[in-house]
Amino acid sequence: MRLLGIPKDLLTEVLARVASTSFSDLFTAKLSCKEFLEAASENYILEHITIEKFPVIPWRISHGASSFLDRCKENGNPEALFRQGMVEFFSSKKPESGFQHLKNAAIKGHAEAKYICGIILVCHGGQSKQEGIELLSSLKNCRSRHRSVKECRNRIKVILQSMWIDKSEAGNGPEEPKNHGRTCNCSKFTNRGWIEEEEYTTCDYCVWDHEATLFCKILRARGFGIS
């Protein structure tokens, strides 16, 4: 099959959309014609391709697969940036570069990256806290297009559980957030579990302080240094 006369940038955009949902469908498209095969080599494809079939923590991975994932990261693939950021921030004692990877993924709309960046910023406090609250609130405001807060939290919990941690060298997690100091009627969140999403209509400061506090308890249970 030949696709003569179709602009290459249009073919690349089509392939990028295919790649964002299915790695195997991209492979099939590459085999279908010369034009798709050539367009598939564009860096734009690597930026958008799904890598969900690859393990988040690649304990055993071939050189070819490792090279492929590195190219995805180099080309700004949000999931690749998110994974690298998680490992560096929480396990490799590289919080600055780890957070930058997470932030870059969040800027590209990656839901879990928005969640973890928001939690870190809320815990950091000061002017960063408002930025963190806005990131987390953006998840609840766009649930129709993104994963829910609960889904983001649960996936990150699974990733943290899969990490190997040498407790003598464990990366530092964020500190539990300080009380925001505002006067409100949200004391009902004290000493209780995760807040259901239908309750997110209340004070954002209390909701996300509570979320961040419980998240820090997860980190402490995994052995991350939290003061």
Side-chain angles (χ1 to χ4, degrees):
M1 182 177 74
R2 297 299 302 275
L3 298 174
L4 301 176
I6 300 178
K8 186 176 181 180
D9 57 349
L10 179 58
L11 292 177
T12 301
E13 182 63 39
V14 170
L15 280 182
R17 297 198 178 197
V18 171
S20 68
T21 59
S22 173
F23 184 88
S24 59
D25 285 351
L26 173 65
F27 183 76
T28 300
K30 287 170 61 177
L31 297 178
S32 67
C33 67
K34 179 181 178 182
E35 288 77 13
F36 272 155
L37 179 62
E38 293 176 350
S41 65
E42 294 291 320
N43 291 337
Y44 184 73
I45 304 296
L46 293 173
E47 179 183 358
H48 292 85
I49 193 169
T50 177
I51 57 173
E52 290 189 358
K53 287 192 174 183
F54 293 88
V56 176
I57 308 297
W59 296 112
R60 294 181 179 179
I61 191 170
S62 68
H63 174 74
S66 177
S67 176
F68 166 75
L69 293 174
D70 284 342
R71 290 177 62 206
C72 289
K73 182 179 64 179
E74 291 166 2
N75 284 282
N77 182 286
E79 176 68 15
L81 292 172
F82 164 72
R83 295 180 180 193
Q84 185 69 22
M86 288 291 295
V87 171
E88 290 189 5
F89 190 92
F90 291 105
S91 187
S92 299
K93 299 191 73 175
K94 299 178 181 178
E96 292 84 7
S97 62
F99 182 77
Q100 189 59 53
H101 285 312
L102 292 169
K103 184 177 180 181
N104 289 341
I107 291 172
K108 289 175 173 284
H110 192 283
E112 290 90 341
K114 284 186 177 183
Y115 175 87
I116 194 61
C117 280
I119 292 293
I120 293 169
L121 291 168
V122 166
C123 292
H124 191 269
Q127 294 181 344
S128 299
K129 185 165 191 171
Q130 182 59 41
E131 183 181 352
I133 288 172
E134 291 174 1
L135 269 176
L136 290 165
S137 296
S138 72
L139 290 174
K140 73 175 185 179
N141 293 333
C142 299
R143 280 178 291 179
S144 61
R145 290 181 296 164
H146 299 285
R147 295 182 180 179
S148 68
V149 172
K150 182 178 181 180
E151 288 171 325
C152 291
R153 179 203 307 140
N154 288 343
R155 184 176 181 229
I156 289 173
K157 285 166 63 176
V158 170
I159 292 173
L160 290 172
Q161 289 166 358
S162 70
M163 286 183 182
W164 180 82
I165 303 169
D166 179 350
K167 293 188 178 181
S168 66
E169 295 291 335
N172 287 327
E175 297 181 9
E176 291 185 15
K178 305 294 189 299
N179 187 290
H180 58 70
R182 294 179 176 229
T183 302
C184 59
N185 299 316
C186 300
S187 57
K188 62 182 178 180
F189 292 145
T190 305
N191 298 323
R192 56 167 290 182
W194 301 105
I195 301 169
E196 297 298 325
E197 293 195 37
E198 57 265 23
E199 299 180 77
Y200 289 166
T201 55
T202 188
C203 167
D204 281 345
Y205 277 82
C206 286
V207 166
W208 302 124
D209 271 352
H210 186 78
E211 180 85 17
T213 297
L214 293 182
F215 189 85
C216 286
K217 290 180 179 179
I218 295 174
L219 295 178
R220 186 182 294 112
R222 286 290 294 134
F224 293 99
I226 300 177
S227 56

